Amino acid sequence: MEFFLDTADVDEIREIASWGILDGVTTNPSLIKKSGRDFKTVVAEIAEICNGPISAEVTAMDTDGMLTQARALKAELPENVIIKIPCTPEGLAATKVLTEEGIDTNVTLIFSASQALMAAKAGATYVSPFIGRIDDTGADGMALIAEIMTTWANYDVDTKVLAASIRHPTHVLQCMQLGAHTATMPTKIFKQLITHPLTDKGLDGFMKDWAEVEAAGNA
Ligand code: E4P
């Protein structure tokens, strides 16, 4: 399973990348706004820190506008930048053309299995179902991941399922159990996945005992 960071904060990306298991990064217009930085500058910097796929989102609403923005991003930014496109009819058309041009895409804002299927038919490299935002409505976001994975199993689909809008570590584990290819998550969840109070307590005990071993000259 691929683990992506969902942030445009380069300090956070550097920290998690130093762990050696960061597979990619997703950004969106809201995360770029939160960074307070220039869009292309920050995406280029992220793409230097992490050599996996870095999603940069188009903001045009029409197909031609999306294609113009996507081609410009591909021309100006590092090779590992991929194009994030909204799941709309115009976005589908743009995805189809970009796929034919050999440009990788991440079709975003997916809230139904039918949207995921349509994006896959257009050749999307990734589809991003938003689990947390579905949970927020009182429905079950994980049920959508299960539905998509069941559908995928019936056909020879190359498109990867990128679980997005993840709110807690259990979301990540459940996605893995369902066979989702990728999960993108905030830094806080990356950290929650690796920490455990009993690990900290156990390490503390070992270090105290080791200090006594050293003090006794037995190290
Ligand atoms: C995915 O690519 C999106 O950037 C992200 O996961 C959205 O999550 P949110 O619902 O926490 O904004």
Side-chain angles (χ1 to χ4, degrees), residues 6-7 26-28 30-31 55 57 84 106 108-109 128-130 132-133 136 162-167 184-186:
D6 194 32
T7 181
T26 49
T27 69
N28 64 39
S30 303
L31 292 171
S55 292
E57 189 157 344
K84 205 174 187 187
N106 171 4
T108 189
L109 288 166
S128 289
F130 276 38
R133 292 195 194 188
D136 291 345
L162 195 173
S165 188
I166 282 179
R167 299 276 195 261
T184 190
M185 64 198 100

Side-chain angles (χ1 to χ4, degrees), residues 196-203:
H196 195 288
L198 289 179
T199 304
D200 296 342
K201 190 178 170 197
L203 192 56

